[in-house]
Amino acid sequence: MTSEVRPDTAVLVRERLSRDADDPDALFTLAALRANDGDLDEALPILDRVLRIDPRYPGAWILKAKLHGMRGEPDAAAAASARAQEMGP
């Protein structure tokens, strides 16, 4: 049995963004990685860029609501959550 080494997610994201700076999947992943690292000030603008590219991007409004909640911004969190509800499944 051969062990396959999988590239780091951050490396894959950088590669995709080097080919297409507006790749919404790569940008969403980058925002999630930044949020996971605790860098909400960097994650939110990246997420906003995703939503400018595709306002209906799956999960983006939900993540935006969570990030605003983590930052202690209940009004912004509620607005993003309402927008997620408007987008539907």
Side-chain angles (χ1 to χ4, degrees):
M1 182 152 104
T2 315
S3 175
E4 183 178 329
V5 176
R6 302 188 87 193
D8 181 37
T9 302
V11 171
L12 294 173
V13 166
R14 281 193 298 273
E15 287 174 5
R16 292 211 27 197
L17 290 174
S18 72
R19 289 191 301 269
D20 179 4
D22 290 329
D23 181 322
D25 295 328
L27 288 167
F28 183 83
T29 303
L30 181 60
L33 288 170
R34 293 295 184 264
N36 191 55
D37 290 342
D39 194 350
L40 305 182
D41 290 338
E42 193 171 329
L44 275 166
I46 296 168
L47 194 54
D48 287 337
R49 185 169 167 200
V50 170
L51 290 166
R52 281 192 302 278
I53 294 166
D54 182 359
R56 298 186 68 85
Y57 191 87
W61 289 106
I62 294 168
L63 179 57
K64 186 174 172 90
K66 287 181 182 181
L67 296 182
H68 279 298
M70 292 168 67
R71 285 175 45 143
E73 301 168 337
D75 293 341
S81 183
R83 188 70 188 264
Q85 292 296 319
E86 290 172 13
M87 294 292 132

